[in-house]
Amino acid sequence: GFSVSIYDVTSRSISLRWPKFSGASSYRVTAIAVNTVGHSLLAHFSDVTLKATLTSLIPSTAYAIQAEAIDKNGIILAETQIMQSTAPDIPVIDQAYSKLSNSITVEWRVVPGATAYMLTAQDGDSFTETVVKNSPGTVTGLKPATLYRITIRSINSGGKSQPSPFRKARTVLAAPILSVSSPSCDSIALSWQAVYMAAGFSVSLMRSDGLGRMLRENTTNTSLVFTNLDPGTLYTIRAYAWNANGMPGDDFTYNQRTSPDAPADVKVAFNSGALRVSWMPTEGALTYSVTASSGLLKLQCNTSSSSCMVPPLQCSSEYYVSVTAYNDAGSSKPTDAVSLKTIPCAPVNISIEEDEPGHLLVSWSSVSFSHYYVVFVKSDDGLEVHCNTSYTQCHFQSDCGFTYFISVFAYNKAGQSPLGDVFNYTTAPCCPSDFRAVFVSSDTVRVTWAPVRGADLYESRAAARSTVVLCNDTAPACTLSTLQCNTRYRITVRSFSEAGGSNTSCAPKHVATAPCSPEIKNISKESLSVISVQWQSHNEDATYIVTARGEARLWQCTSTGSSCTLTDLPCGSAFSVSAIARSPAGQSLPSYSAPLETDPCCPNDLILTQVTQSVTNISWSAGKGAQTYVTTLESPKGQAKCRTLQNYCLLGCITCGTNYTVSLKAISETGLTSSCTYQGYSSSACCPSGVKLYRLSNNGIRVFWRASDETNYSTDLRGSKGNFTCTPSTGGSHCDITDIPCGDVYTVVVAPLTDNGPKLTFCPKKIYS
């Protein structure tokens, strides 16, 4: 429980402490130098002393330290031992100096046993420490132009020595921070803030590519201008301050390019209507700006090449063009302005008139800066002519029915004016000729003709006595309707255009209309397939044709009177009946159609099937022209009837074992009816009632039933192990089935026997296990 600990070590002392030991009246401490002969130290301490410092030790030496607790009789109660090395010897500073404004470099002689050194720079109450391996060492993080007390301690694994005697050293001046610009293409201006403790400044300037000589200036001011420099050239600038003793401070280095010189050999030209400006590149220029000024209007174009396309200029204007070079230092002076007159504006106030038939006169207003004009006239067939003149009007030949597209351009040395408004002028259309009139019916005639150039619209006119019929159309054909039948008309055709007016010099033609349409007055049915048609008409010498139009073919009859007969018309069909009249003048329009419908056809096939004892299904093939069917089963015991839109029907309330009369009515959509009769029908025999099952043995069964008449019955027994049938004697009411496999479930059905056909399946079923 007795131990000793070290709390401080220097080059020649070791400080240690120990805890109070019970019963000890004194303590003895011995320090023996390891590997050093004859050097030891012995010290006694009273029981109230619990720490001590051993002095006069050898630097960088390992000591074996033993502490003993002794009672009042001199007996050693406890002891402990530790090893501890002293710190290296105190270094001696040879010199301390500053090369940078934030550091001081120290040189000293090597101390034996030292593994590192601690440098300390103290300024008043603040200090900065740095640990280095050997000499020289540098303390950093200091303030510029400041006096520091510098000390050094040696360090090893044992501890640190006492500080060395101090040396004083002052950090050098801080570097001036430059603000640099190039106010002109051959100068660089510098300015900086005052530097603490500075007595003066030295600034040098040299081309960064090493060409030329270095310029150096010493000054006590805080600004400086270098002149007579090369334009657009990168220079390296170095500046530092010195103190009153002439000692220089930190350097500040900066690269600055002079602004470029103004571009030379500026050329302007029009390229596809736009202004192209070019120049010789200037040294050090990064970008160029082209300015084109006309009064208050300024247009600009920026580029990094040696040419630029200026945005569209105003026509009929004079511009002054200059170029300015730029780099990161600034801009050059603008070049001398070059005067430029732009292309003339497009002529305005263009007018076109046909001063006489076949001649066009085009005129316009004069345009500023224009030397001459060219008028282009292009017809809609692609042919183009032009007129070159210094006046403000031109004459052209023209033809009827043509549209002419007219544009006027002004010219000067700069080039052609922009395209202005394109005007069109349309001459009057040509007269239609060689037209044909073909009658479609007694009251309608179709007039056709060859298209004529320039016509947008045609007017066809038919005149007879006080009646005039007009037809306007854009096509070279027109149908004149609402004409009077059996009438002679005077027909003319005129052409129109919206821009060119009309041509009314076309010769007329005379034509007579076709007969009037007959009017069907009555359609009567002579017999089942014979129809009589009567009509009314006032035409003379006309032949009439009556047509009944069915789904697949036509039925016709011809007469010169007022009636005719249609025969062999099929049943269940709908017809449209109309009549026309023919004469040497043409054929009339058909009369209004009259509907005709024949009675629906009877279905060819009719099938009756017993569904249950009281329900029978009747089905039949479709009857042409029929929409609704009514089927009837009739007997002395009653009647069953069904009305349906389908081709089948379920009839209920049927009495078993009864003969029925079968009839069917086919009804059309309009109510025409055909009555159809078919072969009679007998319903099936009645199913037995009171069916009961009795077991005869493990493999036998007796089936009982009750019958209302002398019907013969058959018993069917169906199971998974076999099917069995039993038929009793005539009039019998029971049946025995034997030798059936046991252990099965059977379905038992008793049904009347039929003369032919399948057994009845709708009689009730019984289950037998």
Side-chain angles (χ1 to χ4, degrees), residues 462-464 467 482-484 487-491 509-513:
T467 302
T482 68
L483 302 181
Q484 295 179 1
T487 304
R488 183 177 176 82
Y489 280 91
R490 180 176 181 267
I491 299 177
K509 286 189 177 182
H510 293 84
V511 294
T513 58

Side-chain angles (χ1 to χ4, degrees), residues 463-485:
R465 298 186 291 273
S466 61
T467 302
V468 176
V469 178
L470 295 176
C471 171
N472 295 325
D473 205 328
T474 57
C478 202
T479 300
L480 297 168
S481 58
T482 68
L483 302 181
Q484 295 179 1
C485 52

Side-chain angles (χ1 to χ4, degrees), residues 303-425:
T303 181
S304 58
S305 64
S306 60
S307 65
C308 198
M309 300 295 288
V310 179
L313 306 179
Q314 289 185 348
C315 57
S316 294
S317 300
E318 185 172 9
Y319 283 86
Y320 296 93
V321 182
S322 62
V323 183
T324 305
Y326 292 85
N327 63 11
D328 50 6
S331 63
S332 69
K333 292 181 179 179
T335 60
D336 293 336
V338 177
S339 175
L340 174 72
K341 292 181 179 179
T342 62
I343 59 175
C345 294
V348 295
N349 298 326
I350 299 174
S351 66
I352 305 162
E353 58 181 322
E354 199 169 1
D355 50 358
E356 61 179 86
H359 292 83
L360 294 181
L361 173 64
V362 182
S363 59
W364 57 91
S365 297
S366 178
V367 179
S368 301
F369 298 107
S370 176
H371 295 165
Y372 64 95
Y373 304 92
V374 177
V375 182
F376 294 91
V377 177
K378 185 175 183 179
S379 59
D380 52 8
D381 63 353
L383 181 64
E384 184 177 68
V385 296
H386 69 276
C387 165
N388 192 328
T389 180
S390 58
Y391 297 104
T392 57
Q393 64 178 19
C394 268
H395 289 271
F396 295 92
Q397 294 288 334
S398 64
D399 293 320
C400 68
F402 275 87
T403 297
Y404 295 94
F405 300 92
I406 300 167
S407 55
V408 183
F409 293 90
Y411 291 83
N412 62 13
K413 291 182 179 180
Q416 175 185 288
S417 69
L419 175 64
D421 293 333
V422 177
F423 292 84
N424 62 70
Y425 183 85

Side-chain angles (χ1 to χ4, degrees), residues 490-535:
R490 180 176 181 267
I491 299 177
T492 58
V493 179
R494 296 194 299 172
S495 58
F496 290 84
S497 72
E498 185 177 350
S502 65
N503 194 325
T504 60
S505 60
C506 300
K509 286 189 177 182
H510 293 84
V511 294
T513 58
C516 298
S517 298
E519 180 183 357
I520 295 177
K521 290 296 185 180
N522 185 42
I523 298 177
S524 59
K525 187 184 300 183
E526 298 293 331
S527 64
L528 192 60
S529 60
V530 177
I531 303 297
S532 176
V533 181
Q534 291 89 32
W535 60 85

